[in-house]
Amino acid sequence: LVIRAANEAFVQVFPGGGEKQKTVLKVYQPSILKYCKDAILKETIRTLSDERTTSPDDAEAKYARVVGSAALVVAHLLDTLSLEEIEKHEAVYEELLRDQGIWKLSSYPDAFVRKAIYRLLVALLEKTQERFIDLTMISTYVLVEALPIDQTGSIYDYVKTLAQLSSFSPEVWTKYYTGSAKKPAIKRLCQFLRKGSQGGPSDFWLQLTALLRHIPATVLAHERELSDGKPPPAGGDSIPPVLEALHDGMVRRDEHRAGQCEAWRAYLQVAELLQPSKSSSESLRAFLETSVVPIIDQHIRPSSEKVGWTVAGPDQQSICVDAAALVFRASPEIFEVTWKRISAAIIQDFQTSLPEQSKDYVKSQDTICLVVKRWYSFQAIFFEKYGTVSIHSFLVSTCSSELESAIETMTSRNGKPYSAAAVLANAVRLLPDLTLRQYDTEKLLVKFAQQKVPTLLLSPSSPYLISFLDCMGTTQNIQDIYERAVESLVAAPDSDIKSKTLEKLVASPWLGRGQTSKALTTAVVNSLRQSLESGTGSWTLISGSMGNSSAPSDLTDQILARMTESLSIDHQAVAGLHGIGIAVKHNERAVKDFITSPNGSKLLSKLLFLAESPEDAVAHKAQQLKIAIQDIVSGNIDPNAAHSTIFGIINDGLRTADFTSLSVETLLEQAETMLHQSNEDSRTRILAELLPNVKQWTAALEPFVNSRPNVSLAMTNLLGGAVYLVDRLDDSQDTLKTPISYDSDGYSPALRIAWYTTKLINATSILDNVTTHDRSVICKYLALFVQVASDNLSIPGPISLWEYQGVDVDTDIIDAIAEAQSLLASWVRISTAPQESYVSAAISQLLDDSVGTSPASYYNGRASAALAAEYRELHSGPTTLKDEARLRGIPKISEIISFAAFLAGVPESEDLLWLCSQSIAKLTGVPLYDNLQDSGSSVKSLSLSLLIIEGLRQLILMNHVIQRREDIIQKIPQQRIVFYVKHLVDHLKQQNASASFKAEAHKTLIAMLPHIKDIYGSFWADLIDVVLNEWTQIAEFVDEEIPSVHASLRLYAALCALAVNDSNDDLLDYWKEQQTAIIDGLLSLMKTHSKTTDESHQPRKMVNELLARQLAKISPGHITTQHELYPILACESTALQQAAYQLLHQQIPLTQEQVSFDAALSKDYIAKLPEELLSLILASPSPEAIAVDNFHRGMPLPLRTYLLSWSLIFDHWTNASYKVQTDYVGSLKEGIYLKDFLDFTFRYLIIGRPKPVDASRFDIASYMPDMEDFPEKDTQWLLVHLYYLCLKHLPSLSKSWWRDQCPRHLVKPVEAWTEKYMSSLVIQAEISTVISWIPSQESDDTPLEVKVSSKAREITASYPIDDQSMSVVIRLPANYPLHPVSVEGVHRVGVNEEKWRSWLLITQGVINFSSSSGSIIDGLIAWRKNVVGALKGQSECAICYSVVSADKQLPAKQCGTCKNSFHSSCLYRWFKSSNSSSCPLCRNSFNYA
């Protein structure tokens, strides 16, 4: 760090390159030299560090850093400064560099110091300053002393220095060498070489080669002298010592594999340097055979005996070829002998290989195949690099011999030794110049191919034989050979060898040629079928076929078509995806061609569908393939063809819907991608294809708009009662010609088209390039879709836009409708000319299509009315002449729907008043109902008679006019209104009035009654009777009755408002007179409605909510049939359930005073909880009922019924006496009601949550229904409140559950949760109860003096005796009532300790273990009775010494002998423990007195 900081500071101060820095070095050279000389020659470990404060290791490291850095600085001076600058201070340099102290450091243990010295010597040698160099000294320290030491960390610098030094002066190894005779330079050098690279880089071997080149030959010469003077023997002793040492160092175990190639190259260079001369043939032969040839042998035919000659690394073959070249250059004769020896050995290997029956057959054949492959690869590289005429002829001869032997072996052994076939395949593939281009050899091979190959294809040699045939592609007659081979193979029985051979054949370039393709095609297709069926079959034939560029297109298309078909089959989809992945990976061209074919869009469509699979693995794989194929489509296919494929996918997705249809999101993704990739020229055509056309819209919406709408929808749309005029369809017309299909999400084509169109328009600027006509078409059909979807959402029917019902589906549908409505609203809101024109055109077209009374006319009218009403509100204007003319003309019966839709968009005008007056005039005085028979009972034709519906038509028309202009009634003379109302009431009094007539009549009366409220007459009473009669006559809540019931309730509300304001005495008097009948009518209506569910029926829910609001106005105490309301708590209507609860919640506390009075009058009276109410809490809701999904619409009804019933149970405690409350506790003890409730409560509040519900967020002591924003929070609040009531009113039962029945894993959580949130409130409530009880104590005896301490949770009770008093204190625990109350004596007067203690235990037992409420008041009463009884002479029990027992009974059992009295419970325990029936005192048999 110090050196780095110094260097950085130096560069910052002297920037600009070397000149400035050289100048600094020139100036400060003397100082630097002096400092470095002193540091190197004078400093020691002790002088640099204080041994008292520095460890030996730190001191030595510091010395090494100082000395090494100083040496590097001197080296830097020598490198940087010129010779002239150095000579200026040559004395200092000479003094430093000729001092032996510096060169001694070349063998210093620290690698940093050694490297610094070696670099200094290299810098010195490069300056060639001989006067500074003492070669004897350097040879002594750098060679003699440094060669033997471990050079780890400095080996590269050391060998580089030796190479530089040897180049500078080779005499350092001879003349200046100072070593002893026992250790000459060659020995020290060999010792160094045997250590290998010592962890150095691969460049070490390059420097080592340079070093050995510069060492004198006399040093490297062979110094082994034999005593007998004979020449060196052959074998290991023929290797020169230096080469042998180098080899030993290379093959050390600790040598890096990365440097092996460089090491062997260095070895070959040194071997060539040290090889004997060619004149000494015997020495040369021995040298080559022992030093070089083993490298070749070990590479071709590895042997464990020659593992030291194994060349490792990526360039091993090239190195072995170089070794062979070295042998050839040194002695061609030795090369030829070696080559023939290896060839003969290989021939012998496959000729004598193990038979097929041997267990090591495969292993031996594979080993020989590897040898053969290396042999021919070796020959190919050698021939390419060093091929000459002589080498060519020699290699041809050996290769021909090998091929002849291989053919003979295969023929004689029927192809079993496939290593012989490997010879043929590798020789032809790697050495075509030496085989196929040699006449004799080619003739031999062709003959073998024609005569023997077809018969050997089912032998183990088949893979190599097919490779052999493929390599002979340019040979004559090869096509015939191939065809005959394939025919024989396909005709053979199935076997593993046949399968493997077929795999090779389908990958052959001859697959698509000749007549063989049909047989191979059949085999490939059969293999594909088996793989798809099983899912685990082999795909090698398929991958080979698809990966073969010569495969015919009809085969690849057939494969892809079959795999596309498999994607629609559940158990084949995964395998099909795998197969398509193989096709995409191996043959993009075939996939590209298939995509542009008619079946191509099916493949992409099915992939898009599977990409949405709920199985992650399938979806992920399909998504990957989709992206890959789209990349192929976008990159390699004509844009028009690609667009046609995508258009096909989108059109199929919009036209049909089934379980394989793509989701709307996927269709949108494809459309957006196409739009993004399109250019200006093609955009218009693309837009026309992307948007659904009129034919698609019509086909999708036709089943829905031609179905008769539910009449209850009169309450929810702008056309109101016009729905009554829609033609009724008979069974044949009402049956769909083609059933509606749905996709996997349950969506119909109509819903998919609308959703797709809406999202595409919102996500893109597609409308900017669409004609006005196309915009009006989209606007028209989207408006129609909104009306149909709204009906389906309000009332699910037999013909629905979506198949499934549920929270998620409904949410998606609501989003779709809202998005379409928002889009339509945005078009209406924009007032520029283009938008105004196409919205107006859509309204006009819908209005034209609404003429008539068919269901389609009705839906077109509704769509037109909705658009026109919104358009009128935003863009109001004066009435046109055309509008005025239409308003003045009374519409025909067939035009009433169209006219009602027209009224929704027309501006307000006086023409509306004229139209209303005309309607009133026509209806007044005409016998309406004579013309208003219920169409379903008397008319059988499809078109209703104009005569029958004329009166209803006029009512509907007038109601639309009134709805269109609210103040219009005010402008009609009051007397005319009175006459009209009386006339209408007279007809409503008739028993056979239709529901549709009553509904429209009620709507008219609601609008007119406020304007005649001051008119007296009997019609007010008649009106009330009409409403009551309608309520009581309803036996079943059917859809046809819903509008009339809803209108009657609204009429009742209007009458109620008039009666409350005292506007009319006739109305008010009769209203008060009929109050009971009105309440009974409302309750009767509630009971009737409670029999049907309104969960998915919006009109029915609207009626029930309106009914509930009217029921809420009933004053407490007016309900006499309380028991009839309990079943309504279990109905499937939230509104009615809540209404029944509120009525009972108010009524029950009022009845408890009478119950308490009855209980006080009769000791035998036992108060009971209503059986109807108890039946509702028999079982807690199932876990499925409280699943998270069920809370989206509100609290699940079964759960709501159960919890509200418990709330009503606890309402019985309000205003009830203690005796009555005790009786109620007994009712609950008769079943397992409380256990089920508490189990359910804590299963919901604690189990399955990260942490228990935080009850502090709620008002625990009270509950208001539906005050929370989320239903789940409302449920939590109600459960928390009910548990609080359990602890308050049922403390003993709650404690018993926790102690004995609570699941073990819940005991601790319940205790902690209760103490944290509940106990303080329960204690406060208990103390408040005691405080309120204190002044109401019985006056027969002296009352207790009670003092309460809320903070200390203590209640002190005293009973005065003369001037003293008996006192006890009751202490409530922090987790009351789960833990017991303690009772302690404060002051005892007049009784002994035993009796006093007994009284305390009895009091504590009454509070903690009483079978009733177990309240503190019960304990205080029991204690007072004991005290009073003792003072009045009441005999105490001779067993417990108390007057009052724990069960609050007096001693009533008297012994007939000794006359002592006992408590029944005490006597029972005595009998049980003593196993006898004798008296505890006299021991006589107990006879009751």
Side-chain angles (χ1 to χ4, degrees):
L1 293 176
V2 175
I3 295 174
R4 187 191 310 160
N7 285 332
E8 291 176 355
F10 184 73
V11 172
Q12 289 179 358
V13 174
F14 300 102
E19 292 302 323
K20 291 184 179 179
Q21 296 174 7
K22 281 183 181 180
T23 304
V24 175
L25 293 177
K26 290 177 185 178
V27 173
Y28 292 99
Q29 184 182 191
S31 301
I32 294 173
L33 276 175
K34 183 177 183 305
Y35 174 81
C36 293
K37 185 189 72 173
D38 293 343
I40 296 172
L41 301 180
K42 296 182 180 180
E43 296 290 351
T44 64
I45 295 176
R46 292 186 175 181
T47 59
L48 287 174
S49 303
D50 187 349
E51 61 183 4
R52 296 171 299 177
T53 59
T54 308
S55 66
D57 291 342
D58 291 343
E60 187 172 353
K62 183 177 181 181
Y63 173 74
R65 288 196 303 273
V66 172
V67 173
S69 300
L72 289 175
V73 170
V74 175
H76 182 61
L77 290 175
L78 292 173
D79 286 336
T80 305
L81 299 179
S82 64
L83 189 59
E84 296 179 6
E85 293 296 329
I86 294 174
E87 290 177 347
K88 292 179 181 179
H89 306 281
E90 63 178 318
V92 181
Y93 279 107
E94 187 173 353
E95 182 182 358
L96 171 63
L97 298 175
R98 296 184 70 88
D99 192 298
Q100 63 178 358
I102 189 171
W103 303 117
K104 282 183 179 180
L105 297 174
S106 59
S107 57
Y108 192 77
D110 189 87
F112 175 69
V113 175
R114 294 198 305 271
K115 288 168 66 175
I117 297 301
Y118 300 152
R119 292 178 184 178
L120 173 61
L121 180 55
V122 169
L124 184 61
L125 293 174
E126 289 177 351
K127 290 297 182 182
T128 62
Q129 294 297 305
E130 296 183 2
R131 60 181 178 276
F132 297 154
I133 302 175
D134 187 341
L135 291 175
T136 302
M137 186 185 303
I138 289 175
S139 177
T140 300
Y141 293 112
V142 177
L143 288 182
V144 177
E145 294 188 6
L147 269 175
I149 70 169
D150 182 10
Q151 289 286 349
T152 302
S154 61
I155 183 66
Y156 177 75
D157 292 276
Y158 181 61
V159 74
K160 181 180 178 181
T161 301
L162 289 181
Q164 193 91 352
L165 179 62
S166 300
S167 175
F168 178 79
S169 177
E171 294 177 339
V172 295
W173 295 94
T174 55
K175 177 181 177 181
Y176 299 107
Y177 182 75
T178 59
S180 64
K182 293 182 179 180
K183 289 190 177 181
I186 186 64
K187 287 189 176 181
R188 293 188 182 274
L189 179 61
C190 291
Q191 181 183 5
F192 171 74
L193 294 176
R194 286 189 178 92
K195 295 179 182 179
S197 64
Q198 301 185 45
S202 57
D203 289 345
F204 161 81
W205 301 105
L206 298 177
Q207 295 297 332
L208 182 62
T209 304
L211 167 63
L212 294 175
R213 289 186 184 278
H214 293 113
I215 294 177
T218 56
V219 177
L220 299 178
H222 196 310
E223 291 189 356
R224 287 198 180 96
E225 296 180 358
L226 302 178
S227 59
D228 56 2
K230 295 180 181 180
D237 291 338
S238 298
I239 303 178
V242 172
L243 194 61
E244 183 180 12
L246 177 61
H247 179 266
D248 292 343
M250 289 164 48
V251 298
R252 286 170 61 95
R253 290 185 177 181
D254 57 354
E255 281 298 316
H256 295 300
R257 292 180 60 88
Q260 284 292 297
C261 292
E262 295 297 333
W264 282 105
R265 287 193 179 94
Y267 176 84
L268 291 177
Q269 293 177 18
V270 175
E272 191 168 15
L273 178 68
L274 298 179
Q275 71 179 14
S277 64
K278 294 184 179 181
S279 60
S280 178
S281 60
E282 187 64 24
S283 298
L284 179 61
R285 180 193 62 78
F287 172 80
L288 292 175
E289 289 182 351
T290 57
S291 304
V292 182
V293 171
I295 299 175
I296 304 171
D297 288 339
Q298 185 65 9
H299 173 66
I300 304 298
R301 301 177 71 245
S303 171
S304 60
E305 298 175 357
K306 296 182 179 181
V307 68
W309 296 98
T310 303
V311 179
D315 296 336
Q316 56 177 326
Q317 197 161 38
S318 175
I319 293 170
C320 293
V321 169
D322 291 341
L326 190 153
V327 175
F328 181 77
R329 288 193 301 270
S331 174
E333 295 81 8
I334 296 175
F335 172 81
E336 184 175 344
V337 171
T338 302
W339 199 274
K340 288 182 178 180
R341 177 177 55 79
I342 295 175
S343 175
I346 292 174
I347 292 173
Q348 185 179 7
D349 285 344
F350 64 72
Q351 285 180 338
T352 61
S353 60
L354 294 176
E356 190 177 15
Q357 294 78 11
S358 174
K359 68 174 184 179
D360 293 331
Y361 163 74
V362 175
K363 180 179 179 181
S364 68
Q365 293 295 326
D366 289 344
T367 302
I368 298 172
C369 288
L370 290 175
V371 171
V372 169
K373 182 179 180 181
R374 284 194 297 270
W375 173 237
Y376 287 106
S377 298
F378 176 79
Q379 290 188 62
I381 297 174
F382 180 80
F383 182 72
E384 181 182 356
K385 292 180 68 174
Y386 304 105
T388 61
V389 175
S390 59
I391 288 178
H392 179 272
S393 61
F394 172 68
L395 293 182
V396 167
S397 65
T398 57
C399 190
S400 176
S401 176
E402 292 163 1
L403 293 175
E404 289 177 0
S405 300
I407 291 173
E408 180 183 355
T409 302
M410 290 186 62
T411 305
S412 62
R413 295 178 63 178
N414 296 322
K416 300 297 176 62
Y418 56 84
S419 55
V423 172
L424 296 176
N426 284 285
V428 173
R429 179 174 61 88
L430 298 172
L431 298 173
D433 291 338
L434 305 180
T435 55
L436 298 178
R437 296 183 180 87
Q438 304 299 320
Y439 177 78
D440 293 338
T441 306
E442 182 189 22
K443 184 178 179 181
L444 174 69
L445 295 175
V446 171
K447 180 180 179 181
F448 170 73
Q450 289 175 336
Q451 297 179 358
K452 299 298 181 181
V453 168
T455 63
L456 297 175
L457 278 180
L458 290 177
S459 70
S461 299
S462 59
Y464 290 103
L465 291 177
I466 293 174
S467 177
F468 165 69
L469 291 178
D470 290 342
C471 294
M472 295 184 66
T474 58
T475 307
Q476 59 180 349
N477 301 324
I478 189 61
Q479 180 65 42
D480 296 335
I481 297 172
Y482 188 86
E483 290 177 4
R484 285 193 289 111
V486 171
E487 289 173 358
S488 63
L489 179 65
V490 174
D494 291 339
S495 63
D496 292 340
I497 295 179
K498 176 182 177 180
S499 300
K500 293 179 180 178
T501 307
L502 281 174
E503 294 170 10
K504 286 284 186 179
L505 284 174
V506 296
S508 170
W510 304 98
L511 175 61
R513 305 180 186 179
Q515 300 299 318
T516 61
S517 59
K518 290 184 179 179
L520 273 180
T521 297
T522 303
V524 170
V525 172
N526 289 338
S527 175
L528 173 62
R529 178 181 53 78
Q530 293 174 2
S531 298
L532 292 174
E533 287 290 341
S534 64
T536 57
S538 174
W539 290 90
T540 51
L541 279 183
I542 310 305
S543 59
S545 302
M546 297 304 300
N548 192 341
S549 59
S550 301
S553 59
D554 58 342
L555 173 61
T556 56
D557 287 348
Q558 193 172 352
I559 292 173
L560 288 169
R562 180 64 184 86
M563 290 191 292
T564 301
E565 181 183 346
S566 70
L567 297 181
S568 300
I569 305 173
D570 290 341
H571 68 280
Q572 295 184 10
V574 175
L577 288 174
H578 179 70
I580 293 172
I582 292 174
V584 171
K585 178 180 178 181
H586 290 88
N587 200 333
E588 289 189 2
R589 179 189 59 79
V591 175
K592 178 191 70 174
D593 295 340
F594 182 76
I595 288 295
T596 56
S597 68
N599 291 327
S601 62
K602 292 182 180 180
L603 171 58
L604 196 54
S605 176
K606 293 183 187 299
L607 286 177
L608 291 169
F609 174 74
L610 290 177
E612 304 167 356
S613 171
E615 298 182 22
D616 293 340
V618 174
H620 179 68
K621 182 67 175 177
Q623 181 70 16
Q624 287 181 324
L625 291 175
K626 181 197 74 171
I627 294 172
I629 292 178
Q630 285 178 338
D631 290 341
I632 296 173
V633 170
S634 61
N636 299 320
I637 295 181
D638 178 62
N640 292 329
H643 290 167
S644 298
T645 301
I646 304 300
F647 288 148
I649 293 173
I650 294 175
N651 287 328
D652 288 343
L654 296 179
R655 184 178 63 255
T656 60
D658 54 36
F659 75 98
T660 63
S661 296
L662 298 178
S663 68
V664 176
E665 289 79 4
T666 303
L667 296 178
L668 282 169
E669 181 183 343
Q670 298 303 309
E672 291 176 13
T673 302
M674 184 173 293
L675 279 176
H676 178 71
Q677 295 174 351
S678 65
N679 52 38
E680 294 295 333
D681 297 335
S682 62
R683 183 158 298 176
T684 303
R685 181 181 60 82
I686 289 175
L687 293 177
E689 295 284 347
L690 289 181
L691 287 172
N693 53 40
V694 175
K695 184 178 179 181
Q696 289 173 321
W697 276 111
T698 304
L701 287 172
E702 184 179 10
F704 304 98
V705 298
N706 287 331
S707 299
R708 190 174 192 273
N710 192 305
V711 294
S712 64
L713 293 172
M715 301 162 45
T716 61
N717 63 83
L718 287 175
L719 294 190
V723 70
Y724 306 131
L725 304 177
V726 177
D727 297 337
R728 289 184 179 272
L729 306 176
D730 57 23
D731 294 338
S732 62
Q733 290 176 307
D734 205 24
T735 303
L736 289 176
K737 296 179 181 178
T738 303
I740 298 174
S741 59
Y742 300 93
D743 64 11
S744 57
D745 293 324
Y747 300 154
S748 66
L751 177 57
R752 290 166 58 85
I753 289 178
W755 206 340
Y756 166 84
T757 304
T758 303
K759 288 184 174 294
L760 182 62
I761 292 173
N762 286 333
T764 65
S765 58
I766 192 169
L767 281 187
D768 295 343
N769 300 286
V770 175
T771 64
T772 302
H773 172 72
D774 290 339
R775 294 185 188 183
S776 65
V777 169
I778 296 172
C779 184
K780 170 188 174 180
Y781 285 106
L782 271 183
L784 268 176
F785 162 76
V786 168
Q787 299 305 315
V788 173
S790 299
D791 286 358
N792 278 218
L793 199 60
S794 299
I795 308 175
I799 303 176
S800 180
L801 281 167
W802 57 94
E803 185 177 21
Y804 308 128
Q805 302 294 330
V807 175
D808 294 338
V809 175
D810 287 354
T811 302
D812 291 341
I813 303 304
I814 291 172
D815 292 343
I817 297 173
E819 198 167 354
Q821 287 176 329
S822 177
L823 184 61
L824 291 172
S826 65
W827 292 342
V828 173
R829 195 163 46 247
I830 301 174
S831 59
T832 56
Q835 283 77 7
E836 185 176 355
S837 62
Y838 72 76
V839 173
S840 300
I843 294 173
S844 299
Q845 190 172 356
L846 287 167
L847 195 59
D848 294 340
D849 293 342
S850 66
V851 176
T853 56
S854 66
S857 301
Y858 171 75
Y859 278 109
N860 279 282
R862 276 181 53 181
S864 173
L867 279 178
E870 190 166 359
Y871 189 85
R872 170 181 51 78
E873 185 176 350
L874 294 173
H875 310 291
S876 59
T879 306
T880 63
L881 295 176
K882 183 178 179 181
D883 293 341
E884 291 177 0
R886 188 166 186 180
L887 286 173
R888 290 285 180 176
I890 301 300
K892 301 176 183 178
I893 295 176
S894 61
E895 297 177 351
I896 190 65
I897 294 176
S898 178
F899 192 80
F902 163 73
L903 286 177
V906 71
E908 294 184 3
S909 68
E910 293 301 320
D911 296 315
L912 293 174
L913 176 61
W914 178 88
L915 187 60
C916 183
S917 299
Q918 289 294 316
S919 298
I920 292 176
K922 288 191 175 186
L923 289 170
T924 305
V926 177
L928 294 175
Y929 193 68
D930 291 342
N931 296 335
L932 289 174
Q933 300 298 324
D934 199 349
S935 59
S937 61
S938 60
V939 180
K940 304 300 182 182
S941 61
L942 291 177
S943 297
L944 296 177
S945 169
L946 294 178
L947 180 62
I948 293 177
I949 64 171
E950 176 61 27
L952 181 60
R953 181 184 69 84
Q954 291 294 339
L955 273 174
I956 293 171
L957 182 61
M958 186 170 65
N959 283 332
H960 274 88
V961 173
I962 295 173
Q963 179 185 356
R964 179 64 190 82
R965 185 173 176 182
E966 297 178 356
D967 62 340
I968 200 166
I969 300 297
Q970 299 176 3
K971 300 184 178 182
I972 298 175
Q974 190 181 54
Q975 198 61 35
R976 291 186 64 183
I977 297 176
V978 172
F979 289 153
Y980 174 70
V981 168
K982 291 180 178 180
H983 184 67
L984 207 56
V985 171
D986 289 340
H987 284 81
L988 286 172
K989 289 163 61 177
Q990 299 182 27
Q991 296 297 320
N992 56 352
S994 67
S996 55
F997 169 72
K998 290 188 287 186
E1000 292 302 308
H1002 291 336
K1003 287 166 65 175
T1004 305
L1005 290 172
I1006 293 169
M1008 292 185 173
L1009 289 179
H1011 300 284
I1012 59 171
K1013 60 183 179 180
D1014 55 345
I1015 302 298
Y1016 291 83
S1018 61
F1019 66 89
W1020 292 107
D1022 293 339
L1023 264 177
I1024 296 174
D1025 291 338
V1026 165
V1027 172
L1028 293 178
N1029 289 335
E1030 182 174 352
W1031 292 349
T1032 55
Q1033 289 174 3
I1034 296 176
E1036 186 179 359
F1037 194 31
V1038 295
D1039 287 353
E1040 287 73 12
E1041 302 283 352
I1042 289 177
S1044 64
V1045 174
H1046 184 262
S1048 69
L1049 287 171
R1050 291 179 57 208
L1051 179 58
Y1052 163 75
L1055 291 172
C1056 183
L1058 294 175
V1060 170
N1061 295 327
D1062 296 336
S1063 58
N1064 190 300
D1065 290 340
D1066 288 346
L1067 171 61
L1068 184 59
D1069 293 342
Y1070 197 73
W1071 181 266
K1072 292 179 179 179
E1073 181 182 336
Q1074 294 294 321
Q1075 271 302 297
T1076 302
I1078 290 173
I1079 293 174
D1080 291 342
L1082 289 171
L1083 294 177
S1084 173
L1085 199 60
M1086 180 168 67
K1087 286 188 289 184
T1088 303
H1089 289 193
S1090 65
K1091 298 175 184 177
T1092 54
T1093 180
D1094 64 2
E1095 182 179 3
S1096 300
H1097 201 294
Q1098 185 182 6
R1100 190 173 293 158
K1101 182 177 291 187
M1102 292 170 60
V1103 173
N1104 288 340
E1105 289 174 351
L1106 180 57
L1107 175 58
R1109 289 197 294 271
Q1110 304 309 320
L1111 288 169
K1113 299 176 183 179
I1114 299 177
S1115 302
H1118 285 77
I1119 297 176
T1120 57
T1121 57
Q1122 179 176 317
H1123 63 282
E1124 296 181 357
L1125 295 178
Y1126 292 118
I1128 300 177
L1129 288 172
C1131 72
E1132 297 185 31
S1133 170
T1134 303
L1136 297 183
Q1137 189 184 70
Q1138 182 65 30
Y1141 168 75
Q1142 290 293 354
L1143 292 174
L1144 291 170
H1145 184 60
Q1146 297 172 2
Q1147 187 71 19
I1148 288 174
L1150 298 179
T1151 62
Q1152 297 311 303
E1153 295 180 358
Q1154 182 61 40
V1155 174
S1156 299
F1157 183 73
D1158 295 340
L1161 291 179
S1162 174
K1163 292 184 178 180
D1164 297 331
Y1165 182 86
I1166 299 177
K1168 292 285 186 181
L1169 291 171
E1171 292 294 335
E1172 299 89 347
L1173 185 56
L1174 289 176
S1175 67
L1176 299 177
I1177 61 171
L1178 277 173
S1180 59
S1182 62
E1184 292 77 11
I1186 59 172
V1188 176
D1189 292 343
N1190 294 334
F1191 284 89
H1192 285 281
R1193 291 195 181 98
M1195 190 187 305
L1197 288 176
L1199 176 60
R1200 188 182 181 91
T1201 298
Y1202 183 71
L1203 298 184
L1204 292 181
S1205 300
W1206 268 105
S1207 179
L1208 294 177
I1209 289 285
F1210 289 119
D1211 283 340
H1212 286 76
W1213 266 255
T1214 305
N1215 300 331
S1217 64
Y1218 285 107
K1219 181 182 183 309
V1220 172
Q1221 291 181 6
T1222 303
D1223 292 343
Y1224 289 155
V1225 173
S1227 295
L1228 291 176
K1229 286 184 63 180
E1230 292 175 0
I1232 58 172
Y1233 308 108
L1234 189 64
K1235 176 186 180 303
D1236 287 347
F1237 171 72
L1238 293 177
D1239 286 345
F1240 170 80
T1241 297
F1242 288 104
R1243 188 168 65 244
Y1244 184 84
L1245 295 178
I1246 294 180
I1247 296 178
R1249 298 180 181 273
K1251 60 180 180 179
V1253 170
D1254 183 5
S1256 62
R1257 295 179 302 174
F1258 308 116
D1259 183 2
I1260 298 174
S1262 63
Y1263 169 72
M1264 294 294 291
D1266 302 324
M1267 296 297 290
E1268 287 287 342
D1269 294 333
F1270 301 101
E1272 192 171 6
K1273 295 294 183 184
D1274 190 51
T1275 305
Q1276 294 172 6
W1277 184 10
L1278 181 52
L1279 278 172
V1280 167
H1281 173 65
L1282 291 177
Y1283 179 58
Y1284 163 75
L1285 295 179
C1286 284
L1287 298 177
K1288 179 181 178 182
H1289 298 309
L1290 309 171
S1292 294
L1293 294 182
S1294 301
K1295 180 171 59 180
S1296 298
W1297 168 83
W1298 175 76
R1299 184 181 63 243
D1300 303 327
Q1301 298 174 312
C1302 180
R1304 182 174 298 179
H1305 65 282
L1306 275 179
V1307 172
K1308 290 292 184 182
V1310 169
E1311 179 184 6
W1313 192 83
T1314 302
E1315 181 177 352
K1316 182 176 182 180
Y1317 298 114
M1318 296 290 169
S1319 293
S1320 59
L1321 294 174
V1322 177
I1323 290 171
Q1324 188 62 40
E1326 191 69 27
I1327 289 176
S1328 300
T1329 304
V1330 172
I1331 292 174
S1332 62
W1333 170 79
I1334 292 173
S1336 64
Q1337 298 180 60
E1338 296 179 2
S1339 59
D1340 296 345
D1341 299 305
T1342 304
L1344 293 176
E1345 296 179 0
V1346 182
K1347 296 180 180 179
V1348 174
S1349 175
S1350 299
K1351 291 184 179 180
R1353 302 191 301 275
E1354 293 180 355
I1355 299 171
T1356 304
S1358 302
Y1359 188 86
I1361 302 176
D1362 295 334
D1363 55 347
Q1364 301 185 49
S1365 63
M1366 292 185 179
S1367 301
V1368 294
V1369 62
I1370 300 175
R1371 291 190 173 91
L1372 280 70
N1375 48 11
Y1376 176 81
L1378 297 184
H1379 281 214
V1381 171
S1382 63
V1383 181
E1384 299 175 7
V1386 178
H1387 193 258
R1388 173 170 55 89
V1389 177
V1391 293
N1392 57 37
E1393 179 64 27
E1394 187 176 4
K1395 184 177 292 186
W1396 177 252
R1397 182 174 180 78
S1398 174
W1399 290 357
L1400 297 179
L1401 290 175
I1402 291 296
T1403 304
Q1404 186 168 319
V1406 168
I1407 298 174
N1408 292 324
F1409 307 109
S1410 174
S1411 60
S1412 60
S1413 61
S1415 67
I1416 295 175
I1417 295 175
D1418 292 336
L1420 293 175
I1421 293 174
W1423 182 75
R1424 189 182 67 173
K1425 285 184 178 180
N1426 273 317
V1427 174
V1428 173
L1431 294 178
K1432 288 186 176 182
Q1434 171 71 47
S1435 61
E1436 69 273 4
C1437 174
I1439 296 176
C1440 69
Y1441 300 105
S1442 295
V1443 176
V1444 182
S1445 66
D1447 57 358
K1448 296 186 282 188
Q1449 301 296 319
L1450 295 175
K1453 303 301 180 182
Q1454 189 176 33
C1455 177
T1457 304
C1458 64
K1459 305 303 180 183
N1460 286 298
S1461 298
F1462 306 92
H1463 292 126
S1464 298
S1465 57
C1466 294
L1467 195 61
Y1468 172 76
R1469 286 196 299 271
W1470 164 256
F1471 289 160
K1472 187 175 181 180
S1473 62
S1474 64
N1475 292 322
S1476 68
S1477 59
S1478 61
C1479 176
L1481 297 181
C1482 66
R1483 298 295 179 173
N1484 292 318
S1485 179
F1486 195 92
N1487 295 315
Y1488 293 101

